[in-house]
Amino acid sequence: MSTPWSTADIPSQAGRTAVVTGANSGLGLATARALAAAGAHVVLAVRDTARGETAAAAISGDVEVRRLDLADLSSVRGFAAGWTGDLDVLVNNAGIMMVPQGRTADGFELQFGTNHLGHFALTNLLLPHITDRVVTVSSGLHRSGTIVLDDLGWERRPYSDTGAYGASKLANLLFALELQRRLTAAGSTVRSMAAHPGYAATNLQSHTENRLKDLAMKLGNRFIAQSDADGALPTLFAATADLPGGSYAGPSGFQEGRGAPTLVGRSREASDVQLARDLWTASERLVGATAD
């Protein structure tokens, strides 16, 4: 019986460059720390550069901090425009979870705009530089989401913070699916991967502005969840292991809540090739509508 995959199995990343969005805490910080420890040059792409510098100071290795606000497409464009040279791995990790209804700087529903559209734009703008793979972080809660193509902004439906979060995580998987299809069709060797952390203790679960929800998630983080370092393992597995394009990694334990990383399944909707194409088209229209 083989031993479970761990950070000890990460091959040398010397000479490689990785961008990790949302890397100033939680899963992103754990991912950046492990990649830097393996020898990569890691760019912490963060909204708050002061917090990013504090995080970078706690990482042993070659790291730098650059500003990126995924809820503002002008920031996304600025980050991409400032990039030069090869980028081996892009880790689309940043996200918000079950927050009250809000809008991004460009008017998109906040969770969909940040978790999906921001990363959609970032990936497409950086794609000419990417040499190895894109890893998009989703969630097991994608199974509770649904994509309503004619109401992606929750303008016609009563808003649900959990529903909007599930939809954004489903969108992440559909994006990864369609990106791989397009890369394959173009004859590219770049791989589109996806991962989810299971139930990991981070500060992601404390911004609902609902005291009961926040308390329940706080208790879950303390007594049920695995650590952020363990939660980052599926992302690191997808980012560094020799896996086929289109792979989806998650924990191997009960209901994919915790455990060593392995390849996992996804919902039927997350495997819908036509829906993935339609969402891509809609995302292009939305992002393009605010592009210069």
Side-chain angles (χ1 to χ4, degrees):
M1 181 176 177
S2 60
T3 58
W5 193 94
S6 72
T7 54
D9 296 299
I10 296 176
S12 173
Q13 300 294 296
R16 290 165 63 82
T17 298
V19 166
V20 181
T21 67
N24 57 9
S25 65
L27 300 171
L29 177 56
T31 300
R33 180 180 289 117
L35 291 173
H41 172 67
V42 183
V43 176
L44 282 64
V46 299
R47 184 175 60 179
D48 186 332
T49 54
R51 291 182 61 200
E53 294 291 352
T54 299
I59 296 175
S60 177
D62 181 13
V63 298
E64 66 171 298
V65 176
R66 298 193 190 187
R67 187 176 186 279
L68 172 66
D69 183 353
L70 289 160
D72 183 346
L73 289 179
S74 67
S75 176
V76 174
R77 290 193 294 268
F79 182 94
W83 192 269
T84 57
D86 289 344
L87 171 57
D88 297 283
V89 180
L90 170 62
V91 180
N92 291 325
N93 163 82
I96 54 177
M97 180 179 182
M98 298 181 190
V99 297
Q101 187 170 19
R103 298 285 161 182
T104 69
D106 304 282
F108 307 130
E109 188 278 313
L110 191 56
Q111 295 190 80
F112 183 78
T114 303
N115 297 352
H116 168 61
L117 288 176
H119 282 126
F120 175 87
L122 179 68
T123 303
N124 278 287
L125 290 168
L126 289 177
L127 201 56
H129 299 279
I130 297 173
T131 64
D132 184 10
R133 66 187 85 186
V134 177
V135 180
T136 301
V137 179
S138 182
S139 167
L141 290 177
H142 82 271
R143 297 178 183 279
S144 67
T146 188
I147 298 296
V148 180
L149 288 167
D150 63 354
D151 191 23
L152 293 171
W154 291 80
E155 295 165 340
R156 300 184 183 90
R157 295 169 288 163
Y159 180 74
S160 164
D161 58 358
T162 54
Y165 178 72
S168 73
K169 295 288 100 178
L170 173 58
N172 289 151
L173 280 180
L174 290 168
F175 163 63
L177 179 67
E178 175 63 5
L179 177 59
Q180 183 59 55
R181 188 193 70 80
R182 288 169 174 257
L183 289 167
T184 300
S188 173
T189 59
V190 173
R191 288 169 281 182
S192 172
M193 321 290 275
H196 82 84
Y199 190 175
T202 72
N203 61 12
L204 188 69
Q205 300 103 331
S206 59
H207 303 286
T208 69
E209 294 187 12
N210 180 300
R211 292 180 64 184
L212 289 177
K213 282 185 179 180
D214 284 350
L215 177 60
M217 288 190 280
K218 182 178 180 180
L219 292 173
N221 279 358
R222 181 172 181 180
F223 296 109
I224 301 173
Q226 60 184 348
S227 69
D228 52 8
D230 286 339
L233 287 176
T235 300
L236 291 163
F237 184 55
T240 65
D242 187 14
L243 301 170
S247 293
Y248 181 34
S252 57
F254 178 67
Q255 294 187 339
E256 300 175 15
R258 60 193 304 129
T262 188
L263 297 183
V264 296
R266 65 188 80 193
S267 70
R268 179 176 298 179
E269 194 169 1
S271 305
D272 187 330
V273 173
Q274 186 58 54
L275 180 60
R277 293 180 180 182
D278 292 343
L279 178 62
W280 186 287
T281 299
S283 300
E284 279 186 322
R285 175 177 52 80
L286 291 169
V287 171
T290 58
D292 294 332

